[in-house]
Amino acid sequence: MKIGELLVGAVFLSTAVVAFVLAGSFQSAANAADPGPAMYPRLMATLMGLCALAVMVRALRSPYKPVEGGRWQLALVSLVIAAAYLLLFEPLGYIVSTAALILVMLLLGGVRNLIQLTAVPVVYVASTYFLFSSVLMLKLP
């Protein structure tokens, strides 16, 4: 629905703006070369804002097509999976819980290619773990 997509885009865009502004209040590190704790949240807020703008532009450009028999069940299952991820993140750790989340979401999305089901979680977890541990120097659980 065009109005719904515009509203979702507007909510995410406003959330991104608020997150970007609030991240500016984080205390900077003493080292001038250190990007500080606000860099990653600001980067994510910027990406979120750009995605929200893309959703809004696409909603304005595409013709209205009514959705047949909404997929609210899929959205509900995704919400339950995300809640389980949050609960299991600390006990299982980042690597296991995030790889399992991505695998389950890929299966839920209909991906059945074994190479994709293996490569996507492994590459994502390895690259984000490297980003946090080596680039941002943050330890993940």
Side-chain angles (χ1 to χ4, degrees):
M1 178 179 209
K2 201 176 219 183
I3 301 278
E5 289 178 10
L6 285 172
L7 288 174
V8 167
V11 166
F12 276 95
L13 181 60
S14 61
T15 303
V17 169
V18 169
F20 189 89
V21 170
L22 288 177
S25 67
F26 295 164
Q27 296 295 325
S28 295
N31 184 358
D34 187 8
M39 184 197 71
Y40 189 73
R42 281 194 158 174
L43 176 65
M44 290 297 105
T46 302
L47 292 174
M48 184 175 165
L50 290 173
C51 289
L53 285 173
V55 167
M56 294 171 73
V57 167
R58 193 180 93 199
L60 291 172
R61 287 186 166 182
S62 66
Y64 173 72
K65 296 177 195 168
V67 178
E68 301 275 337
R71 297 183 53 161
W72 62 270
Q73 296 95 343
L74 185 61
L76 184 62
V77 169
S78 298
L79 185 64
V80 169
I81 292 169
Y85 172 74
L86 291 175
L87 291 173
L88 296 173
F89 184 82
E90 197 69 37
L92 294 180
Y94 174 77
I95 294 173
V96 173
S97 61
T98 303
L101 170 74
I102 294 171
L103 177 64
V104 170
M105 289 300 208
L106 286 171
L107 289 169
L108 190 63
V111 176
R112 296 295 180 260
N113 183 320
L114 188 59
I115 294 171
Q116 290 176 338
L117 289 172
T118 307
V120 171
V122 168
V123 169
Y124 179 81
V125 168
S127 60
T128 55
Y129 191 83
F130 171 77
L131 174 72
F132 277 94
S133 63
S134 298
V135 177
L136 299 173
M137 305 217 186
L138 296 171
K139 183 165 172 35
L140 292 170

